[in-house]
């Protein structure tokens, strides 16, 4: 925003934002209630509401009749005045949601990631985004902004995604996405967005300091410190796939694959679980199959799962030693199997010293990244709205 606090337009916009923040957080209120809560004068509140209502950001939602007394009008933010998109790009699935300013989904489309290179992937994402907009009965051009969650670390200076070996093609996806979507676009690490989703909707809600550790196709961590996402100096905070491990690797160490994916990811991710199962004589295709067979009581599968739990336990001790979080949330196709992994995780934590992190499974399922992307997009749209009003 331009200008200082003496700028009348800036003061007007700041007052409008205070009112909209209040309505967004607490729902409908009268002018008198808003004046009391915000400390603004009644004429200031009335003028701000009139401007917001004229621009469609606030609307009248009801009236309360005083007995005795005049009828009191109730106002609320018009959540449908602006829509945003959240996009989760995974190795196997792409998920897109179009939502209003309160995060209510108006359209959602999921599709298999069949892309063989970054060009195909950008086209596929664009098609799914426009399908989600159509479901919301919107033209894609009406979307205020979109947030993409992707594996890897986005380098804004170079305009590329680094550390994303699970995505196809060269690291030029960011530029191709910007061209395909042609909208205000933010690209963020998918696990960071999963942490945002967990902080907004899940087990991290109300927690000032927590970590989300995702173990699935890859391994990653999102960190929230003092209520804010922490990404580090270059956006690589939480890249725990590269934490060294002394576990016997099922891919020889220092191969190109191990170097690209990181030591911990090589042995602890879903592909690592499958390799361990096959080394144990189990002819299984996916980590989901391994856990299902273990749950049915197969001794070899249970041994593989126990070893996986011990690896995870060691990783969580390292996380606790560095961050001391209130809680560590486990997510991902492997990580959320806490009912099978929990005992081995606890045993390994106990072996490694006095640190006892609280460990819980995410309740957001496969939607954590998508929910985080929508939450991030809502916050960005909020800023864009008031930047535009400041002019």
């Amino acid at each position: 925003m331009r200008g200082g606090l003496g700028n009348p337009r800036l003061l007007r916009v700041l007052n409008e934002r205070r009112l909209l923040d209040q309505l967004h957080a607490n729902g409908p209120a009268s002018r008198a209630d808003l004046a009391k809560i915000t400390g603004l004068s009644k004429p200031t509140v009335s003028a701000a509401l009139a401007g917001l209502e004229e621009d469609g950001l606030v609307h009248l939602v009801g009236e309360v009749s005083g007995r005795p007394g005049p009828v009191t009008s109730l106002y609320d933010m018009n959540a449908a005045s602006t829509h945003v998109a959240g996009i989760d790009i995974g190795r196997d699935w792409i998920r897109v949601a179009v939502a209003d300013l309160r995060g209510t989904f108006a359209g959602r489309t999921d599709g298999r990631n069949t892309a063989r290179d970054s060009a195909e992937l950008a086209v596929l994402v664009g098609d799914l985004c426009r399908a989600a907009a159509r479901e919301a009965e919107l033209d894609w051009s009406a979307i205020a902004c979109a947030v993409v969650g992707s594996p890897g670390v986005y380098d804004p200076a170079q305009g590329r995604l680094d550390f994303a070996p699970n995505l196809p093609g060269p690291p030029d996806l960011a530029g191709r996405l910007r061209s395909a979507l042609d909208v205000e676009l933010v690209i963020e690490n998918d696990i960071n967005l999963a942490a945002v989703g967990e902080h907004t909707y899940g087990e991290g809600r109300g927690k000032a300091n927590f970590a989300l550790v995702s173990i699935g196709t890859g391994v990653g961590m999102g960190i929230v410190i003092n209520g804010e996402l922490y990404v580090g100096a270059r956006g690589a905070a939480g890249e725990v796939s590269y934490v060294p491990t002394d576990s016997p690797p099922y891919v020889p160490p220092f191969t190109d694959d191990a170097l690209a994916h990181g030591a911990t990811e090589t042995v602890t991710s879903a592909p690592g679980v499958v390799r361990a199962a096959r080394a144990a004589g189990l002819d299984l295709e996916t980590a989901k199959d391994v856990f299902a067979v273990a749950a049915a009581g197969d001794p070899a599968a249970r041994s593989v799962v126990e070893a996986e739990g011990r690896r995870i336990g060691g990783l969580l001790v390292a996380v606790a030693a560095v961050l001391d979080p209130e809680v560590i949330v486990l997510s991902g196709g492997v990580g959320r199997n806490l009912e099978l992994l929990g005992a081995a995780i606890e045993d390994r934590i106990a072996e490694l010293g006095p640190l006892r992190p609280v460990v819980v499974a995410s309740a957001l399922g496969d939607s954590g990244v998508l929910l985080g992307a929508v939450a991030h997009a809502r916050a960005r749209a909020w800023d864009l709205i008031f930047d535009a009003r400041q002019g």
Side-chain angles (χ1 to χ4, degrees):
M1 290 186 181
R2 297 192 296 271
L5 290 178
N7 182 330
R9 180 178 290 182
L10 174 60
L11 289 173
R12 172 180 59 79
V13 172
L14 289 174
N15 290 336
E16 290 174 345
R17 184 153 192 170
R18 287 179 71 182
L19 297 179
L20 268 184
D21 283 343
Q22 176 63 31
L23 294 172
H24 177 260
N26 299 298
S30 68
R31 282 177 289 210
D33 288 338
L34 289 169
K36 183 178 180 180
I37 293 167
T38 63
L40 299 173
S41 69
K42 290 182 180 179
T44 297
V45 169
S46 294
L49 285 176
L52 291 168
E53 186 174 18
E54 182 178 351
D55 292 338
L57 294 170
V58 161
H59 56 173
L60 188 67
V61 294
E63 295 179 334
V64 177
S65 178
R67 296 181 182 158
V71 172
T72 300
S73 298
L74 294 178
Y75 292 87
D76 196 6
M77 67 173 287
N78 181 10
S81 65
T82 303
H83 285 83
V84 300
I87 304 161
D88 171 17
I89 299 177
R91 188 184 74 171
D92 298 321
W93 285 90
I94 300 168
R95 299 178 173 90
V96 178
V98 169
D100 66 18
L101 284 176
R102 279 208 165 99
T104 301
F105 285 13
R108 175 169 176 173
T109 305
D110 296 2
R112 284 279 185 183
N113 186 352
T114 57
R116 293 166 295 180
D117 57 37
S118 56
E120 286 187 7
L121 183 52
V123 170
L124 181 55
V125 170
D127 290 344
L128 290 170
C129 284
R130 288 169 175 81
R134 285 194 298 272
E135 184 179 314
E137 299 182 348
L138 294 168
D139 189 86
W140 177 250
S141 63
I143 301 301
C145 68
V147 171
V148 173
S150 168
V153 176
Y154 177 59
D155 181 346
Q158 300 295 324
R160 69 183 189 190
L161 279 165
D162 294 325
F163 310 124
N166 292 321
L167 292 182
D172 62 350
L173 177 61
R176 292 185 180 278
L177 285 173
R178 293 189 188 282
S179 297
L181 298 182
D182 191 25
V183 70
E184 174 80 16
L185 189 65
V186 177
I187 300 173
E188 181 58 86
N189 173 264
D190 54 355
I191 309 306
N192 284 343
L193 290 179
V196 172
E198 205 68 46
H199 194 224
T200 306
Y201 303 104
E203 297 290 345
R205 194 169 187 176
K207 303 288 193 305
N209 301 284
F210 81 96
L212 177 137
V213 175
S214 176
I215 302 170
T217 302
V219 175
M221 178 170 67
I223 305 165
V224 171
I225 297 176
N226 295 328
E228 299 290 335
L229 184 68
Y230 177 75
V231 300
R234 289 170 291 277
E239 290 293 320
V240 292
S241 60
Y242 298 100
V243 170
T245 177
D246 58 1
S247 299
Y250 297 98
V251 172
F254 308 120
T255 63
D256 289 343
D257 186 66
L259 287 172
H261 290 265
T264 288
E265 182 170 304
T266 297
V267 296
T268 309
S269 65
V273 170
V274 172
R275 284 192 293 269
R278 289 177 177 170
L282 297 168
D283 185 18
L284 299 172
E285 294 294 325
T286 67
K288 184 177 181 179
D289 294 338
V290 176
F291 279 91
V293 172
D298 181 89
R302 292 184 72 87
S303 178
V304 170
V305 168
E306 180 180 357
E308 174 72 356
R310 291 178 62 79
R311 286 190 290 272
I312 294 172
L315 176 61
L316 299 189
V317 168
V319 169
V322 174
L323 297 177
D324 187 27
E326 295 172 64
V327 65
I328 299 176
V329 180
L330 279 178
S331 71
V334 172
R336 60 175 173 260
N337 289 285
L338 202 54
E339 69 283 356
L340 290 173
L341 293 165
I345 290 174
E346 290 178 5
D347 289 347
R348 184 57 174 155
I349 288 173
E351 292 171 4
L352 292 175
L355 298 176
R356 297 291 185 273
V358 176
V359 181
V360 300
S362 172
L364 301 183
D366 292 330
S367 296
V369 177
L370 188 62
L371 288 167
V374 167
H376 194 2
R378 287 164 53 205
R380 177 60 182 150
W382 211 239
D383 289 338
L384 291 171
I385 287 169
F386 287 101
D387 284 348
R389 294 184 73 73
Q390 172 60 14

